[in-house]
Amino acid sequence: MSELPDLLVQAVVRHALAEDLGRAGDITSSACISPDTRLEAVFAIRKQGVIAGLACARLAIVELDPGARFEIVHADGARAPAGAILARVEANARALLAAERTALNLLCRLSGIATLTAQFVAATAGTGARIVDTRKTTPGLRALEKYAVRCGGGANHRFGLDDAILIKDNHVAACGGVGEAVRRARAAVGHMVKIEVEIDRLDQLDEALAEAPDIVMLDNFSLADLAEAVRRTGGRALIEASGGVSLETVRAIAETGVDLISVGALTHSAPILDIGLDVDA
C-alpha cells in the first residue's frame, strides 16, 4: 500500500481549513496566545484501531506553520493499541490549535474506515474472497476514503464512472436485457476497460455469461443462489456479491465461493476512530 501523494491531499485539507477559519481566522487563539508561542503535542489514539490519514494531519499543520515538525510514530496501515502515540508535532501554537480540528476530523474519519475495513477482512480470512468498497463515499473525499480502505486491507472497486463499465439494473432495463447491455458495452470500449454486469436473479446468469463479461455482480442473492452462481460460472468470470453485507453475514457470503464482496458500509457507515491531540504541559 503506497501513501497518497501530498498533491491529492492538499486540496481537501485547504478547503477544510478555509471552512473552519471562516472570515477572520481563529479569533480564540489570536486573543489568548502570543504570536511567537510554540507547542509540542502528540496525536494519541483512545481506542485500538487501524490508522489512516496522517498526511492530512501533517498537511493541515504545515499549511499554517511551514516550519512545523511532524514525526510519525505509527504509520498509516498500522494496528495501534489504545493509548498509543501516532505522531509527535512541534509547531507555532496559534497554527497548531487552528489546524487541530481539521487534522482530527480527517484523521479520525479515515482511521474509522480503515478500522472497519480491517474487521471485514478479518471476518473473511481464509476464504479467498476479497473485500472491496463502492462509490458510496463522501463527496470530495473519495480518493482519501478509498485510500483508507486500502490501509485496512481492503481493495478498491472503480473510482468513478470513467474507469470501468458497471452495467446496473437500470442500464439493463434501458437496453432491453442483460445480454444486449453487455454486447453494447463490449462494442463501445477499448481492450483495457473491464466490464461488469449486475444481475438480480439467477435466471439472468447464463445470458450474462454468454457475452463474456469480466465480472458478474450478484445483487442481494441468497446464500444458496450465490453458491449456485459460483458453480455455474465455473471460473468464466469473477463473481461479486453485493447488497446488505454486514459483519454478521459476510463470513457466510464469503464461504459460498464468491471472489469479491462489495461493502458500501465501509465508507458510508464507518464510525470515527477516537483520536485526540494532547499538548505537552
Side-chain angles (χ1 to χ4, degrees), residues 89-193:
V89 61
E90 188 274 332
N92 175 272
R94 289 185 178 182
L96 179 59
L97 297 179
E100 176 182 2
R101 181 43 51 198
T102 291
L104 287 173
N105 281 349
L106 291 169
L107 179 59
C108 293
R109 167 73 180 150
L110 299 183
S111 295
I113 291 171
T115 299
L116 182 60
T117 302
Q119 292 170 357
F120 273 91
V121 171
T124 57
T127 65
R130 298 191 74 187
I131 299 297
V132 301
D133 54 26
T134 71
R135 286 168 43 242
K136 296 175 182 177
T137 54
T138 308
L141 296 184
R142 181 168 296 170
L144 299 185
E145 291 182 346
K146 282 181 171 283
Y147 166 74
V149 168
R150 299 197 301 275
C151 288
N156 295 143
H157 211 285
R158 62 177 180 164
F159 269 74
L161 296 172
D162 62 337
D163 60 342
I165 294 280
L166 177 47
I167 301 167
K168 303 280 283 182
D169 54 352
N170 288 335
H171 297 102
V172 170
C175 290
V178 170
E180 179 62 20
V182 178
R183 280 192 294 274
R184 292 184 190 184
R186 183 70 69 192
V189 300
H191 67 287
M192 296 292 287
V193 179

Side-chain angles (χ1 to χ4, degrees), residues 28-85:
T28 305
S29 294
S30 294
C32 297
I33 300 173
S34 300
D36 58 350
T37 300
R38 298 193 73 79
L39 286 177
E40 294 183 357
V42 297
F43 286 91
I45 190 170
R46 314 297 194 213
K47 183 180 179 182
Q48 68 175 4
V50 180
I51 310 308
L54 284 166
C56 298
R58 171 176 55 82
L59 289 170
I61 296 166
V62 171
E63 187 70 29
L64 300 184
D65 177 10
R69 292 188 295 105
F70 192 93
E71 177 193 356
I72 293 174
V73 179
H74 285 81
D76 283 358
R79 273 66 172 166
I85 292 174

Side-chain angles (χ1 to χ4, degrees), residues 120 131 220 241-250 253 261-265:
F120 273 91
I131 299 297
N220 285 299
S242 180
V245 181
S246 69
L247 280 171
E248 291 70 35
T249 63
V250 71
I253 292 171
I261 304 174
S262 53
V263 186

